[in-house]
Amino acid sequence: MATRSTIMDTNSFRAEHADALDSDTRRMTEKRSKVLGESYRLFYRKPVHLVRGEGQYLWDAAGDKYLDVYNNVASIGHCHPAVIEAVTQQMKMLNTHTRYLHENILDYSEALLATTPAAIDRAMYMCTGSEANDLAIRVARAFSGGSGIIVSKEAYHGTSELTSGASPALGSGQPLAPTTRMVMPPDAYRVDAPDLGEWFAGQIQQQIDDMAAHGIKFAGFLADSIFSSDGVLPDPRGFLKRAVEVVHANGGIFIADEVQPGFGRTGDAFWGFGRHDVVPDIITTGKPMGNGIPVSGLLAKSEVLAAFSDSIPYFNTFGGNPVAMAAAQAVLKVITEEGLQEHSRVVGAKLLTELRSLMGRYDCVGDVRGAGLFIGFELVTDRDSKTPDKTLALDLIEKLREHRVLTSVAGPYGNVLKLRPPLAFQESDIDWLVGALDSALRELGR
């Protein structure tokens, strides 16, 4: 029997929850199932019917206000006026594909590449992070002449044929590609190693050797630099460096999936990989770069990209269209002019301190870790054994919903709350979030 998907099924509505719903919510869930089919998932045992958003807040159909501590897609805040204005004005003038000249894509590319290491000097555009990672895998294979891709054990990199085959978080119902290999995540809380970086590099080398033993040539290592689906694993800073050295020594490339940790979210650096003093060969981005407008990107070293682009034309019909580029330009401008990277660092550090204070009151809080506004809150049955407490985590998610705080879980055991609000999250919101966690844990008898 297929195992459930950690990112799709862990915090989801299921048919057995229907009897507890009010008539209107039940009607909507039944209609959704009928017209959208069974692959889609809803959050929560009692799904939330949202109708409006502004900044870090959301409102449901009954007018109740929620604090969004999960949605990084609306990276600078729901319905940000700068993005609305940029998209509206461009839509009034022109929206077409990239086979015509247009200033937006050129101006934005120069501005975006200016945020990356100097060796990264080419940009290509798509509509989703899945498409960006799909293309990155193709480029890695063209450059290396190999096919083997290494990912972490609970990685999620997309829903295309190539990326779903390298996304173990989708569950065993979605088989991995035979050329994919997994490494244990670099979990400083659970891995007992004197040097986490050396330990993780050893994991990479083991899988490269296994590929060779099975006649598979290594192509690349694809990783989200904060390992969000693995439970949010940010530290120690620099632990990725040795692993990237091993990747290069074996003829492969490092693809930094920055869909979640990029664009200032970690606070310490504009890009998540910047915390590790490494230069990726390819950077991939997703919809947060456009505040939810369908836009994504692949940024690469020219010599790496050339192996693909010099021989294979690439055309993504609306990747990088003028409206998407206008949205992306507005997001980058807001991040820069409003100092959102520094805001994330400062507010995130204060939030981390307050969340860690809960460890003194609740033994079930095993670890609290993070960088900027990207924090993992891990729940255990007891701190000595570090036994994951998935049941508590899911009950806590539901209690937080009652306190009008929205988030979800991550990690291989489904026991880590992934706290990842829009960057509009303010210091004044900390009391709401931490207070809700405190009350919810108390109400659950913890």
Side-chain angles (χ1 to χ4, degrees):
M1 182 178 179
T3 59
R4 289 185 179 273
S5 163
T6 55
I7 61 169
M8 295 293 290
D9 292 312
T10 309
N11 170 31
S12 64
F13 169 77
R14 292 190 290 276
E16 60 262 32
H17 302 142
D19 289 344
L21 302 181
D22 63 79
S23 58
D24 190 54
T25 303
R26 184 167 185 172
R27 176 189 62 79
M28 290 185 71
T29 60
E30 290 173 349
K31 184 175 182 179
R32 179 182 165 102
S33 178
K34 181 178 179 180
V35 300
L36 298 181
E38 299 306 318
S39 285
Y40 285 93
R41 299 290 188 272
L42 284 162
F43 277 145
Y44 300 108
R45 297 163 193 163
K46 294 183 179 180
V48 185
H49 178 191
L50 297 175
V51 296
R52 186 165 71 88
E54 181 180 333
Q56 63 276 42
Y57 305 120
L58 295 162
W59 284 263
D60 67 14
D64 292 319
K65 181 180 178 181
Y66 294 78
L67 177 62
D68 184 355
V69 193
Y70 188 71
N71 196 337
N72 72 310
V73 173
S75 58
I76 59 173
H78 295 280
C79 302
H80 196 288
V83 178
I84 293 170
E85 175 66 15
V87 167
T88 301
Q89 292 306 315
Q90 185 57 53
M91 186 67 80
K92 288 179 179 179
M93 292 187 289
L94 174 73
N95 199 28
T96 187
H97 52 69
T98 54
R99 295 185 73 177
Y100 302 110
L101 290 172
H102 200 274
E103 294 283 0
N104 279 9
I105 193 170
L106 304 178
D107 293 344
Y108 178 70
S109 296
E110 288 182 337
L112 185 62
L113 288 170
T115 70
T116 69
I120 304 291
D121 58 355
R122 295 289 187 273
M124 297 178 70
Y125 297 99
M126 307 87 214
C127 300
T128 68
S130 295
E131 289 176 307
N133 283 327
D134 188 291
L135 180 58
I137 292 172
R138 293 175 67 190
V139 173
R141 290 175 170 175
F143 178 78
S144 66
S147 60
I149 299 294
I150 295 175
V151 297
S152 57
K153 194 173 181 181
E154 287 297 321
Y156 169 71
H157 295 295
T159 57
S160 70
E161 177 72 17
L162 282 180
T163 57
S164 61
S167 296
L170 291 174
S172 63
Q174 168 60 60
L176 294 179
T179 52
T180 297
R181 293 293 184 275
M182 295 183 292
V183 288
M184 293 298 293
D187 186 346
Y189 178 58
R190 296 182 178 279
V191 173
D192 184 15
D195 186 322
L196 188 68
E198 285 293 337
W199 175 87
F200 191 58
Q203 296 284 303
I204 298 285
Q205 187 63 61
Q206 285 178 24
Q207 295 308 314
I208 294 172
D209 293 343
D210 181 74
M211 286 179 179
H214 288 85
I216 299 168
K217 185 175 181 181
F218 174 56
F221 170 46
L222 171 58
D224 155 6
S225 57
I226 203 164
F227 296 86
S228 55
S229 295
D230 291 283
V232 187
L233 309 174
D235 293 318
R237 289 181 63 165
F239 75 76
L240 266 181
K241 189 171 186 178
R242 182 72 186 109
V244 173
E245 290 172 353
V246 167
V247 167
H248 287 154
N250 285 273
I253 69 168
F254 171 46
I255 304 165
D257 181 342
E258 292 286 316
V259 173
Q260 296 189 56
F263 291 87
R265 174 163 290 280
T266 66
D268 295 321
F270 187 87
W271 300 101
F273 64 78
R275 303 181 67 252
H276 295 284
D277 192 26
V278 298
V279 178
D281 300 286
I282 294 176
I283 301 167
T284 57
T285 68
K287 289 179 286 296
M289 70 188 285
N291 213 47
I293 292 291
V295 59
S296 64
L298 180 149
L299 312 177
K301 296 177 179 177
S302 54
E303 64 270 23
V304 171
L305 189 59
F308 176 87
S309 61
D310 286 2
S311 59
I312 302 176
Y314 180 82
F315 179 52
N316 186 304
T317 304
F318 253 45
N321 69 73
V323 168
M325 290 291 93
Q329 284 176 312
V331 169
L332 191 57
K333 185 177 181 182
V334 167
I335 291 172
T336 302
E337 293 184 352
E338 296 185 8
L340 291 186
Q341 179 185 321
E342 177 65 5
H343 169 83
S344 183
R345 186 188 70 81
V346 171
V347 175
K350 291 178 179 178
L351 174 59
L352 193 64
T353 297
E354 292 301 314
L355 289 169
R356 283 175 173 164
S357 72
L358 295 176
M359 296 178 72
R361 279 174 267 172
Y362 301 100
D363 290 339
C364 61
V365 182
D367 192 35
V368 183
R369 52 191 178 256
L373 288 172
F374 210 142
I375 295 173
F377 189 87
E378 180 151 358
L379 296 153
V380 295
T381 56
D382 71 88
R383 287 186 186 157
D384 290 336
S385 68
K386 300 182 181 179
T387 303
D389 199 335
K390 177 180 177 179
T391 299
L392 173 59
L394 295 180
D395 287 344
L396 183 56
I397 290 292
E398 299 293 335
K399 277 291 180 185
L400 286 173
R401 178 208 185 286
E402 294 175 15
H403 287 275
R404 307 289 186 260
V405 172
L406 303 178
T407 192
S408 192
V409 293
Y413 314 108
N415 69 314
V416 180
L417 271 59
K418 184 158 68 171
L419 307 177
R420 183 194 53 181
L423 301 185
F425 185 94
Q426 300 295 320
E427 187 174 345
S428 57
D429 296 311
I430 293 175
D431 284 347
W432 186 351
L433 171 56
V434 177
L437 276 165
D438 190 9
S439 297
L441 286 167
R442 203 166 52 243
E443 289 163 14
L444 290 168
R446 306 308 297 225

